[in-house]
Protein backbone atom coordinates (compact mmCIF):
# COMPACT_ATOMS: atom_id res chain seq x y z
CA UNK A 1 0.00 0.00 0.00
CA UNK A 2 1.39 3.41 -0.97
CA UNK A 3 1.90 5.86 1.88
CA UNK A 4 -0.90 8.24 1.00
CA UNK A 5 -1.77 11.80 1.99
CA UNK A 6 -5.18 13.26 1.16
CA UNK A 7 -4.85 17.03 1.05
CA UNK A 8 -7.19 20.00 1.03
CA UNK A 9 -4.47 22.59 0.28
CA UNK A 10 -3.94 25.88 2.09
CA UNK A 11 -5.86 28.77 0.56
CA UNK A 12 -6.71 32.42 1.12
CA UNK A 13 -7.98 33.62 4.49
CA UNK A 14 -11.72 33.05 4.78
CA UNK A 15 -11.83 30.14 2.29
CA UNK A 16 -15.20 28.38 2.29
CA UNK A 17 -15.42 25.21 0.30
CA UNK A 18 -14.00 22.23 2.13
CA UNK A 19 -16.89 20.05 1.02
CA UNK A 20 -16.12 20.82 -2.58
CA UNK A 21 -19.84 21.24 -3.22
CA UNK A 22 -19.90 24.67 -1.69
CA UNK A 23 -18.13 27.90 -2.53
CA UNK A 24 -14.41 27.97 -3.18
CA UNK A 25 -14.54 31.62 -2.20
CA UNK A 26 -14.61 33.98 0.74
CA UNK A 27 -18.14 34.21 2.07
CA UNK A 28 -19.99 36.83 4.06
CA UNK A 29 -19.59 34.71 7.21
CA UNK A 30 -16.63 32.40 7.74
CA UNK A 31 -17.60 28.74 7.55
CA UNK A 32 -16.00 25.36 7.03
CA UNK A 33 -17.60 22.20 5.70
CA UNK A 34 -16.14 18.77 6.27
CA UNK A 35 -13.92 17.44 3.43
CA UNK A 36 -16.18 14.41 3.05
CA UNK A 37 -15.27 13.75 -0.58
CA UNK A 38 -11.63 13.29 0.48
CA UNK A 39 -12.47 11.51 3.72
CA UNK A 40 -14.36 8.79 1.85
CA UNK A 41 -11.39 7.40 -0.14
CA UNK A 42 -9.14 8.10 2.86
CA UNK A 43 -11.28 5.64 4.82
CA UNK A 44 -10.52 3.02 2.15
CA UNK A 45 -6.71 3.41 2.18
CA UNK A 46 -4.98 1.84 5.16
CA UNK A 47 -2.35 4.03 6.80
CA UNK A 48 -3.43 7.17 4.98
CA UNK A 49 -3.76 10.64 6.46
CA UNK A 50 -6.14 13.49 5.65
CA UNK A 51 -4.97 17.09 6.06
CA UNK A 52 -7.65 19.76 5.70
CA UNK A 53 -5.42 22.82 5.81
CA UNK A 54 -7.84 25.79 5.67
CA UNK A 55 -9.90 25.12 8.83
CA UNK A 56 -6.81 23.90 10.67
CA UNK A 57 -5.07 27.19 9.73
CA UNK A 58 -2.15 25.11 8.49
CA UNK A 59 0.51 26.53 6.23
CA UNK A 60 2.85 24.69 3.90
CA UNK A 61 5.70 23.96 6.31
CA UNK A 62 4.15 20.96 8.14
CA UNK A 63 2.71 19.66 4.86
CA UNK A 64 6.09 19.74 3.15
CA UNK A 65 7.55 17.90 6.12
CA UNK A 66 4.81 15.28 5.95
CA UNK A 67 5.26 14.52 2.24
CA UNK A 68 8.90 13.58 2.74
CA UNK A 69 7.54 10.23 3.94
CA UNK A 70 4.77 9.83 1.35
CA UNK A 71 4.46 8.01 -1.96
CA UNK A 72 1.11 9.42 -3.08
CA UNK A 73 -0.69 12.73 -2.55
CA UNK A 74 -4.33 13.17 -3.55
CA UNK A 75 -5.39 16.83 -3.68
CA UNK A 76 -8.90 18.19 -3.93
CA UNK A 77 -9.17 21.12 -6.33
CA UNK A 78 -11.79 23.40 -7.88
CA UNK A 79 -12.08 25.86 -10.73
CA UNK A 80 -11.40 28.93 -8.55
CA UNK A 81 -8.55 27.34 -6.60
CA UNK A 82 -6.87 25.35 -9.39
CA UNK A 83 -3.99 27.72 -10.16
CA UNK A 84 -3.14 27.99 -6.47
CA UNK A 85 -3.42 24.21 -6.04
CA UNK A 86 -1.01 23.61 -8.92
CA UNK A 87 1.52 25.85 -7.19
CA UNK A 88 1.10 23.77 -4.03
CA UNK A 89 1.57 20.57 -6.04
CA UNK A 90 4.84 21.95 -7.45
CA UNK A 91 6.07 22.72 -3.95
CA UNK A 92 5.28 19.14 -2.91
CA UNK A 93 7.10 17.75 -5.94
CA UNK A 94 10.11 19.96 -5.28
CA UNK A 95 10.25 18.65 -1.71
CA UNK A 96 9.88 15.02 -2.76
CA UNK A 97 10.46 14.36 -6.49
CA UNK A 98 9.41 10.73 -6.07
CA UNK A 99 5.83 11.67 -5.17
CA UNK A 100 2.92 10.65 -7.35
CA UNK A 101 0.43 13.53 -7.24
CA UNK A 102 -3.20 13.25 -8.29
CA UNK A 103 -6.08 15.70 -8.25
CA UNK A 104 -9.78 15.09 -7.74
CA UNK A 105 -12.85 17.31 -7.89
CA UNK A 106 -15.35 18.66 -10.39
CA UNK A 107 -12.78 20.89 -12.11
CA UNK A 108 -10.53 18.03 -13.21
CA UNK A 109 -13.50 15.72 -13.82
CA UNK A 110 -14.86 17.92 -16.61
CA UNK A 111 -11.57 19.39 -17.84
CA UNK A 112 -9.06 16.54 -17.49
CA UNK A 113 -6.97 17.38 -20.56
CA UNK A 114 -6.81 21.11 -19.78
CA UNK A 115 -5.97 20.33 -16.16
CA UNK A 116 -3.10 18.05 -17.14
CA UNK A 117 -1.80 20.61 -19.65
CA UNK A 118 -1.86 23.40 -17.08
CA UNK A 119 -0.63 21.28 -14.18
CA UNK A 120 2.94 20.19 -14.84
CA UNK A 121 3.49 18.53 -11.44
CA UNK A 122 0.24 16.53 -11.71
CA UNK A 123 0.64 12.84 -12.55
CA UNK A 124 -3.05 12.03 -12.89
CA UNK A 125 -6.53 13.43 -12.46
CA UNK A 126 -9.54 11.34 -11.47
CA UNK A 127 -12.71 11.81 -13.46
CA UNK A 128 -16.16 11.52 -11.96
CA UNK A 129 -16.59 9.37 -8.84
CA UNK A 130 -13.11 8.54 -7.60
CA UNK A 131 -13.29 6.50 -4.37
CA UNK A 132 -12.28 3.11 -5.79
CA UNK A 133 -10.05 4.82 -8.36
CA UNK A 134 -7.85 6.19 -5.59
CA UNK A 135 -7.98 2.93 -3.64
CA UNK A 136 -6.60 1.01 -6.64
CA UNK A 137 -3.82 3.54 -7.22
CA UNK A 138 -2.85 3.46 -3.53
CA UNK A 139 -2.72 -0.33 -3.71
CA UNK A 140 -0.04 0.01 -6.38
CA UNK A 141 -1.97 -0.74 -9.55
CA UNK A 142 -0.26 0.58 -12.70
CA UNK A 143 -1.91 3.81 -13.82
CA UNK A 144 -2.55 2.38 -17.30
CA UNK A 145 -4.83 -0.22 -15.70
CA UNK A 146 -6.93 2.14 -13.54
CA UNK A 147 -10.35 3.09 -14.84
CA UNK A 148 -11.53 6.69 -14.58
CA UNK A 149 -8.26 8.61 -14.80
CA UNK A 150 -6.33 10.78 -17.22
CA UNK A 151 -2.61 10.38 -16.54
CA UNK A 152 0.89 11.34 -17.65
CA UNK A 153 3.57 8.72 -18.34
CA UNK A 154 7.33 9.14 -17.83
CA UNK A 155 7.70 10.51 -21.36
CA UNK A 156 5.10 13.19 -20.63
CA UNK A 157 2.40 11.65 -22.82
CA UNK A 158 -1.11 12.16 -21.45
CA UNK A 159 -3.57 9.26 -21.79
CA UNK A 160 -7.25 9.00 -20.93
CA UNK A 161 -8.29 5.59 -19.60
CA UNK A 162 -11.83 4.30 -19.94
CA UNK A 163 -14.52 5.67 -17.62
CA UNK A 164 -15.21 4.10 -14.26
CA UNK A 165 -18.65 2.73 -13.49
CA UNK A 166 -20.65 4.62 -10.89
CA UNK A 167 -20.97 3.08 -7.43
CA UNK A 168 -24.34 1.38 -7.02
CA UNK A 169 -23.96 -0.23 -3.58
CA UNK A 170 -23.48 2.83 -1.40
CA UNK A 171 -23.46 0.69 1.74
CA UNK A 172 -20.15 -0.77 0.48
CA UNK A 173 -18.40 2.50 1.38
CA UNK A 174 -16.82 2.67 4.85
CA UNK A 175 -17.81 5.32 7.40
CA UNK A 176 -16.09 8.69 6.98
CA UNK A 177 -16.55 9.19 10.72
CA UNK A 178 -13.51 6.96 11.26
CA UNK A 179 -11.36 9.47 9.34
CA UNK A 180 -12.93 12.44 11.15
CA UNK A 181 -11.91 10.79 14.42
CA UNK A 182 -8.41 9.93 13.21
CA UNK A 183 -7.40 13.13 11.42
CA UNK A 184 -9.70 16.09 12.07
CA UNK A 185 -10.56 18.38 14.95
CA UNK A 186 -14.35 18.74 14.77
CA UNK A 187 -14.18 22.07 16.60
CA UNK A 188 -12.51 23.54 13.48
CA UNK A 189 -15.72 23.12 11.50
CA UNK A 190 -18.28 25.86 11.84
CA UNK A 191 -21.40 26.84 9.87
CA UNK A 192 -23.35 29.87 11.02
CA UNK A 193 -26.77 28.25 10.77
CA UNK A 194 -25.75 24.92 12.36
CA UNK A 195 -25.19 24.30 16.06
CA UNK A 196 -21.54 23.94 17.03
CA UNK A 197 -19.91 21.48 17.06
CA UNK A 198 -21.62 19.70 14.21
CA UNK A 199 -20.79 16.78 11.92
CA UNK A 200 -21.88 16.38 8.30
CA UNK A 201 -22.04 13.18 6.28
CA UNK A 202 -23.55 12.07 2.99
CA UNK A 203 -26.32 9.47 3.03
CA UNK A 204 -26.40 9.32 -0.76
CA UNK A 205 -25.06 10.86 -3.96
CA UNK A 206 -26.72 12.43 -6.95
CA UNK A 207 -29.75 14.66 -7.39
CA UNK A 208 -32.87 14.16 -9.49
CA UNK A 209 -33.21 17.86 -10.22
CA UNK A 210 -31.68 19.39 -13.34
CA UNK A 211 -30.79 22.88 -12.12
CA UNK A 212 -28.58 24.33 -14.85
CA UNK A 213 -26.13 26.01 -12.47
CA UNK A 214 -25.61 23.19 -9.96
CA UNK A 215 -22.10 21.76 -10.17
CA UNK A 216 -21.81 18.30 -8.63
CA UNK A 217 -24.84 16.49 -10.10
CA UNK A 218 -23.69 17.56 -13.58
CA UNK A 219 -20.05 16.61 -13.08
CA UNK A 220 -19.41 13.95 -10.42
CA UNK A 221 -22.53 12.76 -8.58
CA UNK A 222 -24.99 12.32 -11.44
CA UNK A 223 -28.75 12.72 -11.57
CA UNK A 224 -29.67 9.36 -10.03
CA UNK A 225 -30.00 9.50 -6.27
CA UNK A 226 -27.91 6.52 -5.13
CA UNK A 227 -28.47 5.99 -1.44
CA UNK A 228 -27.28 4.25 1.68
CA UNK A 229 -29.83 2.23 3.60
CA UNK A 230 -31.44 3.85 6.66
CA UNK A 231 -29.83 1.16 8.82
CA UNK A 232 -26.37 1.96 7.45
CA UNK A 233 -26.86 5.67 8.11
CA UNK A 234 -28.11 4.99 11.65
CA UNK A 235 -25.08 2.79 12.36
CA UNK A 236 -22.71 5.64 11.42
CA UNK A 237 -24.60 8.14 13.56
CA UNK A 238 -24.40 5.74 16.51
CA UNK A 239 -20.64 5.50 15.97
CA UNK A 240 -20.33 9.29 15.66
CA UNK A 241 -22.22 9.74 18.92
CA UNK A 242 -19.77 7.37 20.58
CA UNK A 243 -16.71 9.13 19.13
CA UNK A 244 -18.01 12.68 19.55
CA UNK A 245 -20.46 12.95 22.46
CA UNK A 246 -20.08 16.75 22.32
CA UNK A 247 -21.72 17.03 18.88
CA UNK A 248 -24.91 19.08 19.00
CA UNK A 249 -26.16 18.53 15.46
CA UNK A 250 -25.76 16.18 12.49
CA UNK A 251 -26.07 17.52 8.95
CA UNK A 252 -27.03 15.23 6.06
CA UNK A 253 -25.31 17.01 3.19
CA UNK A 254 -26.81 15.10 0.25
CA UNK A 255 -27.62 17.44 -2.63
CA UNK A 256 -31.33 16.89 -1.96
CA UNK A 257 -31.96 14.59 1.00
CA UNK A 258 -35.72 14.77 0.37
CA UNK A 259 -35.51 13.38 -3.20
CA UNK A 260 -36.72 10.04 -1.77
CA UNK A 261 -39.51 10.86 0.68
CA UNK A 262 -40.15 7.36 2.12
CA UNK A 263 -36.42 6.93 2.77
CA UNK A 264 -36.18 10.41 4.33
CA UNK A 265 -39.01 9.45 6.67
CA UNK A 266 -37.32 6.13 7.50
CA UNK A 267 -34.03 7.82 8.34
CA UNK A 268 -35.91 10.42 10.39
CA UNK A 269 -37.46 7.66 12.49
CA UNK A 270 -34.00 6.13 13.03
CA UNK A 271 -32.74 9.54 14.20
CA UNK A 272 -35.71 9.78 16.54
CA UNK A 273 -34.74 6.48 18.14
CA UNK A 274 -31.20 7.80 18.64
CA UNK A 275 -32.44 11.08 20.12
CA UNK A 276 -30.23 13.29 17.95
CA UNK A 277 -30.78 16.74 16.48
CA UNK A 278 -30.26 16.85 12.74
CA UNK A 279 -30.62 18.99 9.62
CA UNK A 280 -30.49 18.38 5.88
CA UNK A 281 -30.73 19.84 2.38
CA UNK A 282 -34.26 19.92 0.99
CA UNK A 283 -36.19 21.09 -2.04
CA UNK A 284 -38.99 23.54 -1.29
CA UNK A 285 -41.69 21.04 -2.18
CA UNK A 286 -41.69 18.58 0.75
CA UNK A 287 -45.28 17.79 1.82
CA UNK A 288 -46.55 18.65 5.28
CA UNK A 289 -46.89 14.98 6.28
CA UNK A 290 -43.20 14.28 5.65
CA UNK A 291 -42.12 17.54 7.29
CA UNK A 292 -44.05 16.58 10.42
CA UNK A 293 -42.47 13.13 10.62
CA UNK A 294 -39.04 14.68 10.23
CA UNK A 295 -39.71 17.38 12.83
CA UNK A 296 -41.16 14.85 15.31
CA UNK A 297 -37.94 12.85 15.01
CA UNK A 298 -35.35 15.54 15.68
CA UNK A 299 -35.18 17.66 12.52
CA UNK A 300 -34.13 21.21 13.41
CA UNK A 301 -33.31 22.99 10.14
CA UNK A 302 -33.63 22.65 6.38
CA UNK A 303 -31.13 24.15 3.94
CA UNK A 304 -33.33 25.14 1.02
CA UNK A 305 -32.35 26.43 -2.42
CA UNK A 306 -35.06 28.88 -3.44
CA UNK A 307 -32.74 30.61 -5.95
CA UNK A 308 -35.33 33.13 -7.18
CA UNK A 309 -38.80 34.46 -6.48
CA UNK A 310 -39.51 34.89 -10.20
CA UNK A 311 -41.27 31.95 -11.84
CA UNK A 312 -39.78 32.49 -15.29
CA UNK A 313 -36.23 32.42 -13.90
CA UNK A 314 -37.03 29.16 -12.11
CA UNK A 315 -38.19 27.79 -15.47
CA UNK A 316 -35.05 29.12 -17.16
CA UNK A 317 -32.77 27.24 -14.76
CA UNK A 318 -34.90 24.06 -14.88
CA UNK A 319 -35.52 24.23 -11.14
CA UNK A 320 -38.70 22.19 -11.37
CA UNK A 321 -40.40 24.25 -8.68
CA UNK A 322 -43.35 26.61 -8.58
CA UNK A 323 -43.22 29.74 -6.45
CA UNK A 324 -46.59 29.02 -4.83
CA UNK A 325 -45.41 25.54 -3.83
CA UNK A 326 -42.33 27.06 -2.22
CA UNK A 327 -44.55 29.52 -0.34
CA UNK A 328 -46.77 26.74 1.01
CA UNK A 329 -43.76 24.62 1.98
CA UNK A 330 -42.19 27.53 3.87
CA UNK A 331 -45.49 28.29 5.62
CA UNK A 332 -45.68 24.65 6.75
CA UNK A 333 -42.11 24.76 8.08
CA UNK A 334 -42.90 27.90 10.09
CA UNK A 335 -46.01 26.25 11.55
CA UNK A 336 -44.05 23.13 12.53
CA UNK A 337 -41.17 25.11 14.01
CA UNK A 338 -38.62 23.96 11.43
CA UNK A 339 -35.97 26.59 10.83
CA UNK A 340 -34.89 27.37 7.26
CA UNK A 341 -31.60 28.62 5.88
CA UNK A 342 -32.65 29.85 2.45
CA UNK A 343 -30.23 30.24 -0.44
CA UNK A 344 -30.75 32.65 -3.33
CA UNK A 345 -28.82 33.44 -6.50
CA UNK A 346 -28.73 36.74 -8.39
CA UNK A 347 -27.69 37.04 -12.01
CA UNK A 348 -29.29 33.88 -13.40
CA UNK A 349 -30.54 33.83 -17.01
CA UNK A 350 -33.53 36.12 -17.37
CA UNK A 351 -32.50 38.31 -14.45
CA UNK A 352 -33.37 42.01 -14.58
CA UNK A 353 -33.34 44.83 -12.08
CA UNK A 354 -37.04 44.16 -11.56
CA UNK A 355 -36.69 40.41 -10.99
CA UNK A 356 -33.95 41.00 -8.41
CA UNK A 357 -36.32 43.23 -6.45
CA UNK A 358 -39.09 40.64 -6.91
CA UNK A 359 -36.85 37.99 -5.35
CA UNK A 360 -35.95 40.28 -2.46
CA UNK A 361 -39.66 40.89 -1.79
CA UNK A 362 -40.27 37.14 -2.00
CA UNK A 363 -37.50 36.43 0.52
CA UNK A 364 -38.86 39.03 2.93
CA UNK A 365 -42.35 37.62 2.53
CA UNK A 366 -41.51 33.95 3.20
CA UNK A 367 -38.97 35.05 5.85
CA UNK A 368 -36.52 32.15 6.29
CA UNK A 369 -34.65 32.21 9.59
CA UNK A 370 -31.40 33.04 7.77
CA UNK A 371 -30.35 33.32 4.15
CA UNK A 372 -27.36 33.53 1.87
CA UNK A 373 -27.15 35.32 -1.46
CA UNK A 374 -24.76 34.14 -4.17
CA UNK A 375 -23.73 35.40 -7.57
CA UNK A 376 -24.58 33.14 -10.50
CA UNK A 377 -21.38 31.21 -11.23
CA UNK A 378 -20.98 29.39 -14.58
CA UNK A 379 -18.78 26.49 -13.49
CA UNK A 380 -17.26 24.48 -16.37
CA UNK A 381 -19.25 21.30 -16.92
CA UNK A 382 -22.61 22.90 -16.18
CA UNK A 383 -25.36 23.75 -18.64
CA UNK A 384 -25.16 27.34 -17.41
CA UNK A 385 -21.52 27.51 -18.54
CA UNK A 386 -22.52 26.19 -21.99
CA UNK A 387 -25.34 28.75 -22.21
CA UNK A 388 -23.10 31.61 -21.14
CA UNK A 389 -20.45 30.68 -23.68
CA UNK A 390 -22.89 30.29 -26.57
CA UNK A 391 -24.83 33.48 -25.79
CA UNK A 392 -21.88 35.75 -25.05
CA UNK A 393 -22.94 36.31 -21.44
CA UNK A 394 -19.28 36.33 -20.47
CA UNK A 395 -15.85 36.39 -22.02
CA UNK A 396 -14.51 32.95 -21.13
CA UNK A 397 -10.89 34.16 -21.17
CA UNK A 398 -11.79 36.69 -18.47
CA UNK A 399 -14.46 34.73 -16.62
CA UNK A 400 -12.77 34.32 -13.27
CA UNK A 401 -15.09 33.31 -10.43
CA UNK A 402 -13.12 35.00 -7.63
CA UNK A 403 -10.69 37.90 -7.34
CA UNK A 404 -7.16 37.75 -5.94
CA UNK A 405 -8.56 38.10 -2.40
CA UNK A 406 -10.91 35.15 -2.82
CA UNK A 407 -14.07 37.28 -3.05
CA UNK A 408 -16.64 35.93 -5.50
CA UNK A 409 -17.16 38.18 -8.52
CA UNK A 410 -20.02 38.46 -11.03
CA UNK A 411 -18.78 36.84 -14.26
CA UNK A 412 -22.14 36.96 -16.08
CA UNK A 413 -23.65 40.01 -17.73
CA UNK A 414 -26.59 40.60 -20.02
CA UNK A 415 -27.46 43.39 -22.48
CA UNK A 416 -29.90 44.83 -19.95
CA UNK A 417 -27.95 44.00 -16.74
CA UNK A 418 -24.24 44.64 -16.13
CA UNK A 419 -21.64 42.86 -14.00
CA UNK A 420 -21.66 45.81 -11.61
CA UNK A 421 -25.42 45.84 -11.16
CA UNK A 422 -25.49 42.11 -10.42
CA UNK A 423 -22.56 42.39 -8.00
CA UNK A 424 -24.13 45.32 -6.12
CA UNK A 425 -27.46 43.56 -5.77
CA UNK A 426 -26.02 41.07 -3.25
CA UNK A 427 -25.41 43.81 -0.69
CA UNK A 428 -28.80 45.35 -1.45
CA UNK A 429 -30.44 41.95 -0.89
CA UNK A 430 -28.81 41.45 2.51
CA UNK A 431 -29.54 44.98 3.61
CA UNK A 432 -33.23 44.86 2.71
CA UNK A 433 -33.73 41.43 4.25
CA UNK A 434 -31.86 41.81 7.53
CA UNK A 435 -32.22 45.52 8.25
CA UNK A 436 -35.98 45.35 8.83
CA UNK A 437 -37.58 45.93 12.19
CA UNK A 438 -39.16 42.43 12.46
CA UNK A 439 -35.94 40.64 11.51
CA UNK A 440 -33.79 42.80 13.79
CA UNK A 441 -36.22 42.19 16.66
CA UNK A 442 -36.09 38.44 16.00
CA UNK A 443 -32.28 38.38 16.00
CA UNK A 444 -32.06 40.50 19.16
CA UNK A 445 -34.59 38.28 20.92
CA UNK A 446 -32.62 35.21 19.94
CA UNK A 447 -29.43 36.77 21.33
CA UNK A 448 -31.08 37.76 24.60
CA UNK A 449 -32.35 34.22 25.15
CA UNK A 450 -28.96 32.62 24.50
CA UNK A 451 -25.53 33.99 25.49
CA UNK A 452 -23.95 31.51 23.07
CA UNK A 453 -26.13 32.84 20.25
CA UNK A 454 -25.23 36.39 21.20
CA UNK A 455 -21.53 35.57 20.88
CA UNK A 456 -22.11 33.88 17.52
CA UNK A 457 -24.19 36.70 16.04
CA UNK A 458 -21.74 39.37 17.17
CA UNK A 459 -18.90 37.46 15.55
CA UNK A 460 -20.92 36.98 12.38
CA UNK A 461 -21.70 40.71 12.34
CA UNK A 462 -18.02 41.58 12.45
CA UNK A 463 -17.26 39.07 9.69
CA UNK A 464 -20.15 40.33 7.56
CA UNK A 465 -18.98 43.94 7.69
CA UNK A 466 -15.42 42.83 6.91
CA UNK A 467 -16.80 40.91 3.93
CA UNK A 468 -18.57 44.06 2.69
CA UNK A 469 -15.34 46.01 3.14
CA UNK A 470 -13.45 43.44 1.07
CA UNK A 471 -16.13 43.57 -1.64
CA UNK A 472 -15.90 47.35 -1.87
CA UNK A 473 -12.09 47.13 -1.97
CA UNK A 474 -12.37 44.72 -4.89
Amino acid sequence: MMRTLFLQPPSFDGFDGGAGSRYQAKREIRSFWYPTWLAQPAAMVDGSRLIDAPPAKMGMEPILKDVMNRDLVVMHTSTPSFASDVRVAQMLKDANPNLTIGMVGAKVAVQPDESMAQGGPIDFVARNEFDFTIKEIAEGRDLKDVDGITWRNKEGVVTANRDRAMIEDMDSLPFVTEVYKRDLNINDYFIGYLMHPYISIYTGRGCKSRCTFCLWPQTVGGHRYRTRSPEHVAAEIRLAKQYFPQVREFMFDDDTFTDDLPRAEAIAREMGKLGVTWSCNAKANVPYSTLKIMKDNGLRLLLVGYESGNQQILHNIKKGLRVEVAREFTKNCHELGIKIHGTFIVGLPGETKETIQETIRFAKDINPHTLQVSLAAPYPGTFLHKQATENGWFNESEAELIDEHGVQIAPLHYPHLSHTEIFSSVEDFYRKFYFRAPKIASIVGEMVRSPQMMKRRLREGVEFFQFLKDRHAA
Side-chain angles (χ1 to χ4, degrees), residues 314-328:
L314 295 180
H315 288 324
N316 293 347
I317 63 173
K318 302 181 182 180
K319 183 69 180 176
L321 180 70
R322 297 202 65 84
V323 171
E324 59 266 28
V325 172
R327 286 185 183 277
E328 180 66 19

Side-chain angles (χ1 to χ4, degrees), residues 37 204-208 217 221-226 254-256 259:
W37 281 92
R205 292 179 181 170
C207 180
K208 295 178 182 178
H223 288 291
R224 285 189 303 111
Y225 189 29
R226 295 162 294 127
D254 307 28
D255 291 308
T256 310
D259 260 356

Side-chain angles (χ1 to χ4, degrees), residues 203-325:
T203 75
R205 292 179 181 170
C207 180
K208 295 178 182 178
S209 297
R210 299 277 173 169
C211 301
T212 62
F213 62 88
C214 196
L215 179 65
W216 282 68
Q218 297 184 76
T219 57
V220 176
H223 288 291
R224 285 189 303 111
Y225 189 29
R226 295 162 294 127
T227 60
R228 299 164 57 185
S229 66
E231 297 76 19
H232 195 257
V233 174
E236 182 160 19
I237 297 301
R238 277 194 295 272
L239 179 66
K241 285 185 64 180
Q242 175 187 333
Y243 283 167
F244 308 108
Q246 72 272 38
V247 165
R248 301 179 64 207
E249 180 166 19
F250 293 91
M251 174 69 183
F252 298 137
D253 202 26
D254 307 28
D255 291 308
T256 310
F257 179 79
T258 55
D259 260 356
D260 184 335
L261 294 176
R263 176 178 170 274
E265 294 174 5
I267 291 178
R269 291 188 174 99
E270 293 293 334
M271 296 304 102
K273 295 174 188 176
L274 293 173
V276 300
T277 298
W278 59 283
S279 297
C280 67
N281 292 310
K283 196 169 183 176
N285 62 355
V286 184
Y288 183 93
S289 58
T290 298
L291 289 172
K292 188 172 189 313
I293 290 170
M294 293 163 69
K295 173 62 178 177
D296 289 346
N297 287 280
L299 175 70
R300 188 188 69 86
L301 174 142
L302 295 176
L303 175 55
V304 180
Y306 294 99
E307 323 314 353
S308 175
N310 177 270
Q311 189 62 61
Q312 186 56 54
I313 289 178
L314 295 180
H315 288 324
N316 293 347
I317 63 173
K318 302 181 182 180
K319 183 69 180 176
L321 180 70
R322 297 202 65 84
V323 171
E324 59 266 28
V325 172

Side-chain angles (χ1 to χ4, degrees), residues 7 60 63-64 67 73 88-96 99:
L7 177 63
M60 285 302 301
I63 297 171
L64 293 174
V67 299
V73 175
V88 170
Q90 187 62 62
M91 294 172 70
L92 303 180
K93 206 85 163 191
D94 291 342
N96 182 353
L99 276 178

Side-chain angles (χ1 to χ4, degrees), residues 88-385:
V88 170
Q90 187 62 62
M91 294 172 70
L92 303 180
K93 206 85 163 191
D94 291 342
N96 182 353
N98 295 320
L99 276 178
T100 296
I101 298 179
M103 284 191 173
V104 299
K107 156 70 179 177
V108 296
V110 301
Q111 295 181 318
D113 295 331
E114 295 93 325
S115 299
M116 293 298 294
Q118 296 166 10
I122 306 171
D123 296 294
F124 70 89
V125 298
R127 308 188 308 268
N128 306 103
E129 219 168 28
F130 48 79
D131 310 87
F132 286 97
T133 299
I134 300 303
K135 181 175 185 290
E136 290 176 7
I137 293 173
E139 288 172 341
R141 183 171 297 188
D142 195 306
L143 293 183
K144 67 180 176 60
D145 299 322
V146 177
D147 290 349
I149 64 170
T150 298
W151 60 287
R152 193 190 323 271
N153 67 17
K154 293 180 180 179
E155 289 72 41
V157 178
V158 174
T159 302
N161 293 358
R162 68 179 184 178
D163 289 339
R164 176 171 293 274
M166 299 288 271
I167 300 170
E168 298 299 334
D169 180 10
M170 298 301 291
D171 283 2
S172 67
L173 295 172
F175 296 157
V176 296
T177 302
E178 297 283 4
V179 177
Y180 293 175
K181 174 68 172 176
R182 185 189 72 192
D183 293 333
L184 305 180
N185 178 354
I186 68 167
N187 291 309
D188 289 342
Y189 296 88
F190 183 91
I191 302 292
Y193 50 83
L194 297 179
M195 295 192 295
H196 185 263
Y198 84 100
I199 281 179
S200 68
I201 64 170
Y202 287 89
T203 75
R205 292 179 181 170
C207 180
K208 295 178 182 178
S209 297
R210 299 277 173 169
C211 301
T212 62
F213 62 88
C214 196
L215 179 65
W216 282 68
Q218 297 184 76
T219 57
V220 176
H223 288 291
R224 285 189 303 111
Y225 189 29
R226 295 162 294 127
T227 60
R228 299 164 57 185
S229 66
E231 297 76 19
H232 195 257
V233 174
E236 182 160 19
I237 297 301
R238 277 194 295 272
L239 179 66
K241 285 185 64 180
Q242 175 187 333
Y243 283 167
F244 308 108
Q246 72 272 38
V247 165
R248 301 179 64 207
E249 180 166 19
F250 293 91
M251 174 69 183
F252 298 137
D253 202 26
D254 307 28
D255 291 308
T256 310
F257 179 79
T258 55
D259 260 356
D260 184 335
L261 294 176
R263 176 178 170 274
E265 294 174 5
I267 291 178
R269 291 188 174 99
E270 293 293 334
M271 296 304 102
K273 295 174 188 176
L274 293 173
V276 300
T277 298
W278 59 283
S279 297
C280 67
N281 292 310
K283 196 169 183 176
N285 62 355
V286 184
Y288 183 93
S289 58
T290 298
L291 289 172
K292 188 172 189 313
I293 290 170
M294 293 163 69
K295 173 62 178 177
D296 289 346
N297 287 280
L299 175 70
R300 188 188 69 86
L301 174 142
L302 295 176
L303 175 55
V304 180
Y306 294 99
E307 323 314 353
S308 175
N310 177 270
Q311 189 62 61
Q312 186 56 54
I313 289 178
L314 295 180
H315 288 324
N316 293 347
I317 63 173
K318 302 181 182 180
K319 183 69 180 176
L321 180 70
R322 297 202 65 84
V323 171
E324 59 266 28
V325 172
R327 286 185 183 277
E328 180 66 19
F329 159 85
T330 310
K331 176 176 171 288
N332 291 337
C333 287
H334 288 325
E335 289 181 0
L336 289 166
I338 299 170
K339 293 190 183 303
I340 295 176
H341 179 71
T343 65
F344 295 84
I345 301 174
V346 292
L348 292 165
E351 194 81 275
T352 65
K353 294 177 184 178
E354 291 73 26
T355 60
I356 290 172
Q357 294 306 311
E358 182 181 359
T359 297
I360 294 173
R361 290 192 297 271
F362 172 73
K364 290 164 61 177
D365 189 28
I366 64 171
N367 197 29
H369 184 64
T370 54
L371 59 71
Q372 75 184 41
V373 185
S374 301
L375 295 158
Y379 280 88
T382 64
F383 185 76
L384 177 59
H385 186 275

